């Protein structure tokens, strides 16, 4: 069974919570006492139907305010796949939460109200999906019940979206007409839309091909920690523990260790369950090399003929996550793979209006939830790939040295 | 190239191992919170994998309420010996004796909430800067928003509204003096994943998880084990039943379910067919709709 991680974004009224509730309910992933609790709450609120959106309610403050303010993770499984949903709020002031949810997703669910078509929020969610390089997007045209299940209206929304999405960099976009409230085409095929020949939402989630989402070409192994058992059986053992971030490593491969530049050969690939012949993303393994060279956390094992760029000046798309904007000439800790350096923002090139995708060049003051293209200068070189090439070796975060908070997320541009 | 994929359990395992290794790399004195329950057993098993062929380079901490299942303690002692790791026991009884915790009174008295006091003491006195726990996001709604690396202030408190954003697999373990982190490597696992993993890996777990005969009373919609720590009320009758426990905690609050699942295979089948949450038999979660969230803010597991 494979694991599919997807993200959703939406506001209170576009039916996102109802859709998730519907997926959980119709796929029978809800326990009896949860259903009972939701039925009781619905009654208390004086609702006639069972409000499935209550299933995804989170913390106390949010229940009181009726809004989702953070990323909440939900889980369900069908006989075909296990799913992790990163459920995020859709309002512009929660861009940082959407970016967080999108960072680990293979797929984005975007909801459009069939009556309204593409609105500002649709653009925003789609832009974030594209910026974070989520490989697959499913556009759910929701509330079809409110447009008399009209094929014409669905086609209109699809055309409108396609026109807009031409500006984005998303490889795989699919459309499903649904009614989350009534369950049409969510888990069960709709009898109200015989004109729709495609798959239901759940079927698409179960079968969409995600096997090629990892980078299997560029070998990248960031070293997390060095394993030295210091016992008689493994007296001289020195293993480099880490998670493969790209490519396929095999025993006997000639490799290069960066930044030192020493080369060696892979002698063993170890795991608790026994040695492996090869390792690929996202495996956690321990690599042993033929030569005794000095390697520590933050170093990267790569192939000689395929190396990341080594640079102290990099351009990134930066999403600011903190209430406190960047301090002019402020220094930050930069975390990238298992490496840590200090950095400063050398230049803000432009900001992006995430509703229209227009560049803003006359206002370069970065505030929370804004996305901008910046040039960073680091104290030591980074071993970096572009984010479009590898989401693991192309991403970074900035940490404020005085508060220790994670203040920004960056995606490296070539 | 399309053969290069991992099953969902292998992917979750790889993620957890990565998180555990980040802990050893980013912190000076980490420890594993070990309750003797299946989730902390799985975390310990994953830690063993993460550092193989070396030993687990951190101690286990057990917060002992004094109201234990004897089976849990025996299991714990065996495991510690097998792994060759240090065991730190934080005793709730000692916290009570020394006046730092006050025993609850009344019909539903339990030592569950007192564990927080002892846990924070153990963390402080052993200068633990990262405590690995087996909490999962699917368990309870307050845990659905928990981070892998969860920051605690110098009072050990969790501020759910002011959590650090966590993106990709970049974990920020930076902290000020006196603060610590709780780290949850199996955040993304569900109860079903845990059981399937225990089955696939053939991990030893306490016998309490398997169906067995035991003296119980029926209280608060669950079969509560009779022990020296609970008072059987007049209206209650002690009977012998075949039950098993889906979660393990303090013996006074952990209810069992009627079951004939006496093998791992049968347990997996039973969990798959179950229509009730595993914490449904835990009195500590039933106190109010937000009881888990309230306890977590104060520093609970």
């Amino acid at each position: 069974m494979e694991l599919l991680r997807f993200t959703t974004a939406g506001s209170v009224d576009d039916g996102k919570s109802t859709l998730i509730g519907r997926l959980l309910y119709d796929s029978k992933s809800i326990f009896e006492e949860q259903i009972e609790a939701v039925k009781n709450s619905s009654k208390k609120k004086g609702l006639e139907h069972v409000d499935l959106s209550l299933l995804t309610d989170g913390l106390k403050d949010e229940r009181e305010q009726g809004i989702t303010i953070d990323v909440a993770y939900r889980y369900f499984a069908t006989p075909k796949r296990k799913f992790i949903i990163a459920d995020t709020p859709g309002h512009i002031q929660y861009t940082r939460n959407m970016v967080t949810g999108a960072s680990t997703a293979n797929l984005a669910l975007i909801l459009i109200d069939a009556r309204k078509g593409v609105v500002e929020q649709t653009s925003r969610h789609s832009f974030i999906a594209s910026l974070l390089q989520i490989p697959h997007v499913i556009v759910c045209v929701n509330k079809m019940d409110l447009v008399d299940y009209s094929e014409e209206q669905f086609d209109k929304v699809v055309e409108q979206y396609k026109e807009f999405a031409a500006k984005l960099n998303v490889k795989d976009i699919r459309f499903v007409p649904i009614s989350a409230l009534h369950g049409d085409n969510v888990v069960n095929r709709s009898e109200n839309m015989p004109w729709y020949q495609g798959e239901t939402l759940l079927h698409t989630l179960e079968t969409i091909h995600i096997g090629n989402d990892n980078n299997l070409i560029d070998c990248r192994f960031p070293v997390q920690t060095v394993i030295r058992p210091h016992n008689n059986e493994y007296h001289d053992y020195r293993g480099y523990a880490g998670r493969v971030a790209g490519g396929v490593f095999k025993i006997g491969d000639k490799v290069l260790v960066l930044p030192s530049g020493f080369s060696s050969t892979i002698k063993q690939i170890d795991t608790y369950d026994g040695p492996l012949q090869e390792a690929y993303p996202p495996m956690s393994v321990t690599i042993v090399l033929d030569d005794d060279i000095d390697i520590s956390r933050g170093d990267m094992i790569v192939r000689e003929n395929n190396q990341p760029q080594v640079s102290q000046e990099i351009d990134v798309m930066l999403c600011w996550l903190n209430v406190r904007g960047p301090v002019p000439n402020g220094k930050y800790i930069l975390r990238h793979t298992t490496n840590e350096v200090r950095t400063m923002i050398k230049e803000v090139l432009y900001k992006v209006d995430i509703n229209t995708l227009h560049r803003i060049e006359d206002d370069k003051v970065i505030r929370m939830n804004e996305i901008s293209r910046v040039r960073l200068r680091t104290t030591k070189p980074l071993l970096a790939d572009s984010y479009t090439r590898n989401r693991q070796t192309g991403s970074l975060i900035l940490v404020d040295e005085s508060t220790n908070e994670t203040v920004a997320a960056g995606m490296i541009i070539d | 190239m399309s053969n290069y994929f991992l099953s969902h359990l292998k992917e979750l395992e790889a993620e957890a191992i990565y998180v555990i290794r980040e802990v050893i790399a980013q912190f000076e004195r980490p420890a594993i919170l070990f309750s003797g329950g299946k989730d902390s057993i799985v975390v310990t098993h994953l830690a063993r994998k993460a550092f193989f062929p070396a030993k687990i380079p951190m101690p286990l901490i057990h917060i002992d309420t004094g109201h234990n299942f004897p089976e849990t303690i025996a299991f714990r002692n065996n495991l510690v010996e097998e792994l060759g790791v240090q065991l730190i026991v934080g005793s709730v009884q000692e916290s009570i004796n020394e006046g730092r915790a006050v025993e609850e009174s009344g019909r539903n008295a339990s030592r569950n909430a007192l564990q927080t006091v002892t846990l924070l003491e153990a963390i402080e006195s052993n200068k633990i800067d990262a405590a690995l726990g087996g909490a999962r996001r699917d368990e309870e709604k307050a845990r659905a928003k928990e981070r892998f690396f969860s920051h605690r202030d110098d009072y050990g408190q969790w501020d759910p509204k002011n959590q650090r954003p966590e993106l990709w697999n970049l974990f920020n373990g930076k902290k000020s003096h006196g603060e610590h982190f709780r780290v949850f490597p199996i955040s993304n696992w569900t109860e079903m994943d845990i059981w399937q993993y225990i089955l696939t890996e053939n991990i030893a777990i306490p016998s309490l998880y398997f169906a067995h005969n035991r003296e119980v009373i029926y209280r608060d919609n669950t079969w509560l084990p009779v022990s020296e720590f609970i008072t059987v009320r007049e209206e209650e009758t002690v009977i012998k039943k075949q039950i098993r426990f889906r979660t393990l905690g303090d013996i006074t609050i952990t209810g069992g379910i009627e079951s004939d699942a006496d093998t791992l295979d049968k347990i997996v089948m039973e969990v798959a067919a179950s229509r009730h949450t595993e914490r449904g038999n835990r009195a500590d979660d039933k106190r109010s709709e937000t009881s888990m969230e309230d306890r977590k803010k104060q520093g609970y597991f």
Side-chain angles (χ1 to χ4, degrees), chain A residues 125-142:
Chain A
H125 299 165
S126 305
F127 172 61
I128 289 169
S130 155
L131 183 71
L132 274 289
Q133 286 289 299
I134 300 180
H136 314 278
V137 168
I138 301 180
V139 178
C140 294
V141 182
N142 191 24

Side-chain angles (χ1 to χ4, degrees), chain B residues 217 219 224-232 251-252:
Chain B
I217 53 169
R219 183 184 289 179
L224 205 62
V226 174
S227 69
E228 56 183 303
F229 308 111
I230 63 161
T231 316
V232 178
I251 196 168
T252 63

Side-chain angles (χ1 to χ4, degrees), chain B residues 194-228:
Chain B
I194 293 287
W195 282 115
Q196 285 178 337
Y197 189 70
I198 290 171
L199 176 68
T200 318
E201 297 278 313
N202 200 16
I203 302 170
I205 51 171
S207 56
L208 300 160
Y209 282 112
F210 298 97
H212 59 284
N213 286 309
R214 183 177 281 267
E215 287 195 331
V216 289
I217 53 169
Y218 197 69
R219 183 184 289 179
D220 297 332
N221 299 315
T222 186
W223 294 104
L224 205 62
V226 174
S227 69
E228 56 183 303

Side-chain angles (χ1 to χ4, degrees), chain B residues 53-261:
Chain B
K55 281 185 192 170
I56 298 176
M58 55 183 119
L60 303 188
I61 296 186
H62 181 227
I63 301 306
D64 181 353
T65 62
H67 295 170
N68 298 299
F69 286 99
E71 291 93 331
T72 307
I73 300 299
F75 182 89
R76 176 197 79 186
N77 294 343
N78 279 338
L79 185 66
V80 165
E81 196 178 317
E82 188 194 328
L83 296 173
V85 295
Q86 189 202 347
L87 173 71
I88 297 170
V89 178
S91 161
V92 174
Q93 187 64 54
E94 261 174 44
S95 304
I96 293 170
N97 294 347
E98 287 161 26
R100 292 183 305 263
V102 180
E103 187 109 61
E104 290 182 358
S105 56
R107 275 165 70 94
N108 292 314
S110 108
R111 289 183 168 182
N112 185 265
L114 303 187
Q115 291 181 96
T116 303
V117 175
T118 310
L119 171 62
L120 294 176
E121 279 172 15
I123 286 173
E124 206 179 316
S125 61
N126 291 284
K127 298 190 172 58
I128 301 301
D129 55 1
L132 282 139
R136 311 187 319 264
R137 288 171 179 158
D138 80 318
E139 279 179 90
E140 213 280 340
K141 53 190 174 267
R143 284 184 170 165
K145 299 187 178 186
E146 184 69 271
R147 304 292 193 258
F148 277 92
F149 272 40
S150 183
H151 177 257
R152 302 300 150 113
D153 66 16
D154 46 2
Y155 295 97
Q157 299 179 103
W158 181 55
D159 181 0
K161 275 175 45 181
N162 197 19
Q163 300 193 79
R164 294 178 184 175
E166 210 160 70
L167 297 103
W168 299 290
N169 54 4
L170 297 169
F171 299 110
N172 173 7
K174 300 269 177 210
K175 58 179 173 26
S176 301
H177 186 70
E179 299 175 343
H180 75 277
F181 272 78
R182 300 289 172 82
V183 180
F184 304 108
I186 56 169
S187 287
N188 278 331
W189 299 46
T190 60
E191 185 191 11
M192 193 62 193
D193 297 328
I194 293 287
W195 282 115
Q196 285 178 337
Y197 189 70
I198 290 171
L199 176 68
T200 318
E201 297 278 313
N202 200 16
I203 302 170
I205 51 171
S207 56
L208 300 160
Y209 282 112
F210 298 97
H212 59 284
N213 286 309
R214 183 177 281 267
E215 287 195 331
V216 289
I217 53 169
Y218 197 69
R219 183 184 289 179
D220 297 332
N221 299 315
T222 186
W223 294 104
L224 205 62
V226 174
S227 69
E228 56 183 303
F229 308 111
I230 63 161
T231 316
V232 178
R233 297 167 194 160
E234 229 170 78
E235 70 275 16
E236 293 168 337
T237 33
V238 175
I239 51 167
K240 209 158 196 185
K241 268 225 165 286
Q242 194 187 33
I243 62 156
R244 69 173 205 88
F245 298 96
R246 279 178 82 181
T247 69
L248 287 185
D250 189 313
I251 196 168
T252 63
I253 52 162
T254 306
I257 53 164
E258 285 181 78
S259 168
D260 55 11

Side-chain angles (χ1 to χ4, degrees), chain A residues 1 30 32 62 75 82, chain B residues 8 14 145 174 188 193 275:
Chain A
M1 197 157 75
I30 303 294
E32 264 172 32
E62 297 170 356
Y75 303 83
K82 170 182 163 124
Chain B
H8 76 292
K145 299 187 178 186
K174 300 269 177 210
N188 278 331
D193 297 328
R275 306 299 304 137

Side-chain angles (χ1 to χ4, degrees), chain A residues 1-3 5 28 30-35 57-63 68-75 82 84 96 99-100 103-104 132 209 211-212 216 224-225 227-229 231 234 237 241-243 248 250 271-273 278 280 282-286 297 321 333 335-338 340 387 391-392 395-397 399 403-406 409-411, chain B residues 1-15 17-22 24-26 45 48-55 137-138 141-147 158 160-176 179 187-191 193 196 201 246 271 274-280 289-290 293-294 297:
Chain A
M1 197 157 75
E2 280 174 320
L3 184 61
R5 299 173 199 245
K28 303 195 170 49
I30 303 294
F31 293 111
E32 264 172 32
E33 51 268 43
Q34 291 172 303
I35 295 172
D57 260 9
L59 302 178
K60 184 156 62 173
D61 299 319
E62 297 170 356
R63 281 197 295 282
T68 315
I69 50 171
D70 202 333
V71 187
Y73 294 90
R74 331 239 169 237
Y75 303 83
K82 170 182 163 124
I84 301 179
R96 63 186 203 135
V99 168
T100 302
S103 72
T104 50
L132 274 289
H209 183 66
N212 292 336
L216 295 172
Q224 270 188 288
T225 183
I227 293 184
R228 308 196 61 179
N231 62 22
Y234 295 97
Y237 188 94
R243 199 171 184 191
V248 180
K250 295 189 174 76
T271 71
Y272 175 87
D273 302 301
E278 56 183 16
Y280 49 89
M283 283 183 176
S284 285
V285 297
T286 301
R297 177 172 169 83
L321 311 168
I333 297 163
R335 298 200 58 121
H336 167 257
T337 67
T338 56
E340 188 177 297
Y387 186 77
R391 291 171 85 189
Q392 304 309 324
S395 52
L396 56 87
I397 56 169
V399 176
T403 63
N404 294 324
E405 287 176 311
T406 304
M411 288 139 280
Chain B
M1 290 294 249
S2 60
N3 284 334
Y4 291 116
F5 78 89
L6 298 182
S7 73
H8 76 292
L9 286 179
K10 279 285 166 197
E11 186 171 340
L12 291 173
E13 179 191 74
E15 176 179 88
I17 289 175
Y18 175 81
V19 172
I20 294 169
R21 286 169 169 177
E22 277 304 285
I24 212 71
Q26 292 196 33
H45 181 77
R48 185 188 234 180
K49 289 197 167 192
F51 302 108
F52 172 85
K55 281 185 192 170
R137 288 171 179 158
D138 80 318
K141 53 190 174 267
R143 284 184 170 165
K145 299 187 178 186
E146 184 69 271
R147 304 292 193 258
W158 181 55
K161 275 175 45 181
N162 197 19
Q163 300 193 79
R164 294 178 184 175
E166 210 160 70
L167 297 103
W168 299 290
N169 54 4
L170 297 169
F171 299 110
N172 173 7
K174 300 269 177 210
K175 58 179 173 26
S176 301
E179 299 175 343
S187 287
N188 278 331
W189 299 46
T190 60
E191 185 191 11
D193 297 328
Q196 285 178 337
E201 297 278 313
R246 279 178 82 181
V271 172
S274 172
R275 306 299 304 137
H276 295 275
T277 67
E278 62 176 342
R279 295 194 74 92
E289 212 196 330
T290 57
E293 183 181 340
D294 297 337
K297 281 181 181 171

